Amino acid sequence: MENLKNAYYNLEKTKIFSPISGVIAQKQVNLGQQVGAGQTLFTVVDLNKTWINANFKETQLRDIKLGNHVEIKSDLNGKTYSGVVTGISAGSGSAFALIPTQNATGNWIKIVQRVPVRIDFNQDSLNKNGVLPIGTTLTVKVNTNKTVDIPNHFIEQKSELYKIDENALHSLIEKIINSNSF
């Protein structure tokens, strides 16, 4: 009976569930392939909760704040979307770069830095104009005079996807015992 329980648990662990619905990208696994724990199989992209990382020059950040309304123009389809500023990075792109912006003598080179600003698409805008593929070119215009309330994106989510159904296991054991009894 212990072997049956182990086999049942191992079979349940072969099922892979996604916590979100979306489109599979960067698939790195094929049917029948054995995979190991921690191996990246693919990426699931939720196209209904998309955002932009717009890299503004540090001189452009003076008046940008959370909640600013944003007009987003797509080069792909020419349509105009709307969005809202929901985050400003804690550092410029070069602050987190592998190679620092200094020359061999240790002197810092003055280069205008770019700071990533997160802009979330308004869902109504996506529904009206259609979803954009990741990596497409966009032009953004931030209205620093107009702000809106930002929804809380960090809501705790719980999942029961990997919970093993003990009742199903006990039913299977009962069925096997009953079918093999005299």
Side-chain angles (χ1 to χ4, degrees), residues 56-60 92-94 101 109-115:
F56 286 97
K57 294 177 186 175
E58 56 190 329
T59 56
Q60 297 172 314
S92 69
S94 67
T101 53
I109 302 167
K110 177 144 174 76
I111 299 172
V112 176
Q113 300 301 311
R114 295 196 174 260
V115 177

mmCIF file of all heavy atoms in Angstrom, residues 56-60 92-94 101 109-115:
data_model
loop_
_atom_site.group_PDB
_atom_site.id
_atom_site.type_symbol
_atom_site.label_atom_id
_atom_site.label_comp_id
_atom_site.label_asym_id
_atom_site.label_seq_id
_atom_site.Cartn_x
_atom_site.Cartn_y
_atom_site.Cartn_z
ATOM 1 N N PHE A 56 13.196 56.819 -19.377
ATOM 2 C CA PHE A 56 13.262 58.267 -19.482
ATOM 3 C C PHE A 56 14.644 58.761 -19.083
ATOM 4 O O PHE A 56 15.282 58.194 -18.190
ATOM 5 C CB PHE A 56 12.220 58.924 -18.563
ATOM 6 C CG PHE A 56 10.813 58.794 -19.070
ATOM 7 C CD1 PHE A 56 9.983 57.789 -18.612
ATOM 8 C CD2 PHE A 56 10.325 59.683 -20.010
ATOM 9 C CE1 PHE A 56 8.696 57.669 -19.073
ATOM 10 C CE2 PHE A 56 9.032 59.576 -20.483
ATOM 11 C CZ PHE A 56 8.218 58.562 -20.011
ATOM 12 N N LYS A 57 15.089 59.839 -19.724
ATOM 13 C CA LYS A 57 16.327 60.482 -19.301
ATOM 14 C C LYS A 57 16.100 61.071 -17.913
ATOM 15 O O LYS A 57 14.989 61.481 -17.582
ATOM 16 C CB LYS A 57 16.712 61.610 -20.265
ATOM 17 C CG LYS A 57 17.080 61.144 -21.647
ATOM 18 C CD LYS A 57 17.381 62.345 -22.527
ATOM 19 C CE LYS A 57 17.608 61.914 -23.956
ATOM 20 N NZ LYS A 57 17.781 63.076 -24.847
ATOM 21 N N GLU A 58 17.155 61.135 -17.125
ATOM 22 C CA GLU A 58 17.010 61.656 -15.762
ATOM 23 C C GLU A 58 16.496 63.096 -15.760
ATOM 24 O O GLU A 58 15.818 63.515 -14.826
ATOM 25 C CB GLU A 58 18.323 61.534 -14.990
ATOM 26 C CG GLU A 58 19.508 62.198 -15.653
ATOM 27 C CD GLU A 58 20.820 61.835 -14.980
ATOM 28 O OE1 GLU A 58 20.836 61.602 -13.773
ATOM 29 O OE2 GLU A 58 21.834 61.790 -15.691
ATOM 30 N N THR A 59 16.777 63.839 -16.818
ATOM 31 C CA THR A 59 16.294 65.220 -16.904
ATOM 32 C C THR A 59 14.798 65.281 -17.208
ATOM 33 O O THR A 59 14.182 66.323 -17.018
ATOM 34 C CB THR A 59 17.065 65.983 -18.003
ATOM 35 O OG1 THR A 59 16.937 65.267 -19.235
ATOM 36 C CG2 THR A 59 18.533 66.121 -17.635
ATOM 37 N N GLN A 60 14.205 64.187 -17.664
ATOM 38 C CA GLN A 60 12.777 64.155 -17.964
ATOM 39 C C GLN A 60 11.934 63.701 -16.780
ATOM 40 O O GLN A 60 10.718 63.768 -16.833
ATOM 41 C CB GLN A 60 12.510 63.208 -19.141
ATOM 42 C CG GLN A 60 13.151 63.628 -20.437
ATOM 43 C CD GLN A 60 13.003 62.547 -21.503
ATOM 44 O OE1 GLN A 60 13.237 61.372 -21.243
ATOM 45 N NE2 GLN A 60 12.619 62.972 -22.696
ATOM 46 N N SER A 92 19.063 53.876 -12.042
ATOM 47 C CA SER A 92 19.160 53.934 -13.505
ATOM 48 C C SER A 92 19.612 52.585 -14.045
ATOM 49 O O SER A 92 20.063 51.716 -13.301
ATOM 50 C CB SER A 92 20.163 55.018 -13.919
ATOM 51 O OG SER A 92 21.466 54.627 -13.553
ATOM 52 N N GLY A 93 19.513 52.448 -15.353
ATOM 53 C CA GLY A 93 19.934 51.201 -15.984
ATOM 54 C C GLY A 93 21.393 50.897 -15.735
ATOM 55 O O GLY A 93 21.787 49.764 -15.511
ATOM 56 N N SER A 94 22.247 51.943 -15.720
ATOM 57 C CA SER A 94 23.679 51.711 -15.518
ATOM 58 C C SER A 94 24.014 51.412 -14.059
ATOM 59 O O SER A 94 25.056 50.823 -13.774
ATOM 60 C CB SER A 94 24.477 52.916 -16.008
ATOM 61 O OG SER A 94 24.223 54.032 -15.185
ATOM 62 N N THR A 101 29.879 52.897 -15.329
ATOM 63 C CA THR A 101 30.185 54.015 -16.230
ATOM 64 C C THR A 101 31.358 54.824 -15.692
ATOM 65 O O THR A 101 31.214 55.972 -15.283
ATOM 66 C CB THR A 101 28.960 54.922 -16.405
ATOM 67 O OG1 THR A 101 28.509 55.303 -15.107
ATOM 68 C CG2 THR A 101 27.845 54.227 -17.144
ATOM 69 N N ILE A 109 32.398 59.096 -16.012
ATOM 70 C CA ILE A 109 32.095 59.733 -17.284
ATOM 71 C C ILE A 109 30.678 60.280 -17.188
ATOM 72 O O ILE A 109 29.761 59.555 -16.804
ATOM 73 C CB ILE A 109 32.192 58.710 -18.434
ATOM 74 C CG1 ILE A 109 33.581 58.103 -18.475
ATOM 75 C CG2 ILE A 109 31.833 59.358 -19.766
ATOM 76 C CD1 ILE A 109 33.696 56.879 -19.348
ATOM 77 N N LYS A 110 30.494 61.559 -17.521
ATOM 78 C CA LYS A 110 29.150 62.142 -17.438
ATOM 79 C C LYS A 110 28.340 61.709 -18.652
ATOM 80 O O LYS A 110 28.578 62.131 -19.768
ATOM 81 C CB LYS A 110 29.207 63.664 -17.378
ATOM 82 C CG LYS A 110 27.832 64.288 -17.369
ATOM 83 C CD LYS A 110 27.796 65.500 -16.508
ATOM 84 C CE LYS A 110 26.480 66.228 -16.605
ATOM 85 N NZ LYS A 110 25.401 65.651 -15.917
ATOM 86 N N ILE A 111 27.387 60.835 -18.383
ATOM 87 C CA ILE A 111 26.468 60.359 -19.397
ATOM 88 C C ILE A 111 25.071 60.522 -18.823
ATOM 89 O O ILE A 111 24.825 60.156 -17.671
ATOM 90 C CB ILE A 111 26.715 58.870 -19.737
ATOM 91 C CG1 ILE A 111 28.123 58.685 -20.283
ATOM 92 C CG2 ILE A 111 25.677 58.352 -20.708
ATOM 93 C CD1 ILE A 111 28.517 57.237 -20.465
ATOM 94 N N VAL A 112 24.174 61.093 -19.606
ATOM 95 C CA VAL A 112 22.799 61.213 -19.139
ATOM 96 C C VAL A 112 22.234 59.808 -18.950
ATOM 97 O O VAL A 112 22.263 58.991 -19.861
ATOM 98 C CB VAL A 112 21.947 62.023 -20.140
ATOM 99 C CG1 VAL A 112 20.497 62.054 -19.701
ATOM 100 C CG2 VAL A 112 22.487 63.431 -20.284
ATOM 101 N N GLN A 113 21.775 59.533 -17.758
ATOM 102 C CA GLN A 113 21.276 58.201 -17.424
ATOM 103 C C GLN A 113 19.802 58.079 -17.774
ATOM 104 O O GLN A 113 19.079 59.062 -17.849
ATOM 105 C CB GLN A 113 21.480 57.929 -15.930
ATOM 106 C CG GLN A 113 22.919 57.972 -15.490
ATOM 107 C CD GLN A 113 23.764 56.952 -16.226
ATOM 108 O OE1 GLN A 113 23.403 55.793 -16.319
ATOM 109 N NE2 GLN A 113 24.894 57.394 -16.748
ATOM 110 N N ARG A 114 19.374 56.850 -17.972
ATOM 111 C CA ARG A 114 17.966 56.564 -18.228
ATOM 112 C C ARG A 114 17.428 55.723 -17.072
ATOM 113 O O ARG A 114 18.078 54.802 -16.600
ATOM 114 C CB ARG A 114 17.795 55.838 -19.551
ATOM 115 C CG ARG A 114 18.214 56.724 -20.717
ATOM 116 C CD ARG A 114 17.699 56.189 -22.025
ATOM 117 N NE ARG A 114 17.990 57.113 -23.108
ATOM 118 C CZ ARG A 114 17.116 57.972 -23.617
ATOM 119 N NH1 ARG A 114 15.904 58.045 -23.117
ATOM 120 N NH2 ARG A 114 17.443 58.753 -24.611
ATOM 121 N N VAL A 115 16.227 56.098 -16.627
ATOM 122 C CA VAL A 115 15.596 55.431 -15.498
ATOM 123 C C VAL A 115 14.311 54.757 -15.984
ATOM 124 O O VAL A 115 13.453 55.422 -16.577
ATOM 125 C CB VAL A 115 15.283 56.436 -14.375
ATOM 126 C CG1 VAL A 115 14.566 55.754 -13.218
ATOM 127 C CG2 VAL A 115 16.563 57.106 -13.893
#
